[in-house]
Amino acid sequence: GEVKLDSLDKRLMSIRVAANPGEDAHPNFPRNLYNAMELFAHVGHLAAFQKLLTCTTDFLSILDEGPQAAGRMGQGFVCFDCGCCGLVPESDEKPSTEKACLCTGCGSGEHTNLVQLALPNGQELPWMERGAAGASPAASARAVAGGGRAKPND
């Protein structure tokens, strides 16, 4: 299928990709997630393009809704093997190379980089994901502890 770059959200340009040691010297290194989408499209890596599109669309929709929509937040990463973009896993397991982390999507640590959203005013925001439906019991207990009612103004 044809990949339409002009329909991509321009806010992806504000999500910077942090270079791992030695990578920033490469002229084609994608400086932000918009560039990453261009790279995937250019090399025909359409599965990764779609995966990154899905992950970033979810993230941007949380931004639109506000922080209460986020179940979890923290340091984000992008995987250039599978296109996964998400939260750096909490395990202590680091890839043997100088890469960012092991990908929670494909398990590879070969081509991962940290990502950081910087707003036009310079403020940096964490990566955010929705709480999983089968979230931790502690998170569910906290939700019920508030009387079981959703308070829209919290």
Side-chain angles (χ1 to χ4, degrees), residues 77-138:
F77 78 93
V78 61
C79 175
F80 287 97
D81 278 343
C82 74
C84 181
C85 201
L87 289 169
V88 169
E90 292 175 18
S91 78
D92 297 328
E93 202 178 342
K94 280 271 186 239
S96 53
T97 58
E98 293 184 312
K99 303 301 180 191
C101 63
L102 294 174
C103 176
T104 52
C106 68
S108 169
E110 292 299 306
H111 301 102
T112 55
N113 292 77
L114 299 181
V115 295
Q116 181 66 59
L117 170 62
L119 298 178
N121 66 9
Q123 180 187 1
E124 294 188 338
L125 291 180
W127 188 263
M128 293 176 270
E129 293 180 352
R130 296 183 191 283
S136 71

Side-chain angles (χ1 to χ4, degrees), residues 5-154:
L5 289 170
D6 55 352
S7 64
L8 289 177
D9 195 315
K10 299 291 186 255
R11 292 180 293 174
L12 292 174
M13 293 177 181
S14 302
I15 306 175
R16 295 191 308 256
V17 176
N20 292 315
E23 289 178 344
D24 49 0
H26 197 284
N28 293 334
F29 180 79
R31 304 274 167 215
N32 57 57
L33 290 184
Y34 190 90
N35 294 153
M37 299 292 281
E38 291 176 316
L39 176 68
F40 286 147
H42 180 71
V43 298
H45 203 345
L46 298 186
F49 181 95
Q50 287 300 335
K51 178 74 175 163
L52 185 55
L53 184 61
T54 301
C55 296
T56 54
T57 300
D58 288 349
F59 174 68
L60 293 171
S61 72
I62 292 171
L63 286 182
D64 290 340
E65 292 170 42
Q68 71 280 359
R72 303 184 316 143
M73 55 183 74
Q75 176 62 61
F77 78 93
V78 61
C79 175
F80 287 97
D81 278 343
C82 74
C84 181
C85 201
L87 289 169
V88 169
E90 292 175 18
S91 78
D92 297 328
E93 202 178 342
K94 280 271 186 239
S96 53
T97 58
E98 293 184 312
K99 303 301 180 191
C101 63
L102 294 174
C103 176
T104 52
C106 68
S108 169
E110 292 299 306
H111 301 102
T112 55
N113 292 77
L114 299 181
V115 295
Q116 181 66 59
L117 170 62
L119 298 178
N121 66 9
Q123 180 187 1
E124 294 188 338
L125 291 180
W127 188 263
M128 293 176 270
E129 293 180 352
R130 296 183 191 283
S136 71
S140 307
R142 278 196 302 275
V144 172
R149 299 186 296 123
K151 297 186 198 95
N153 298 329
D154 274 2

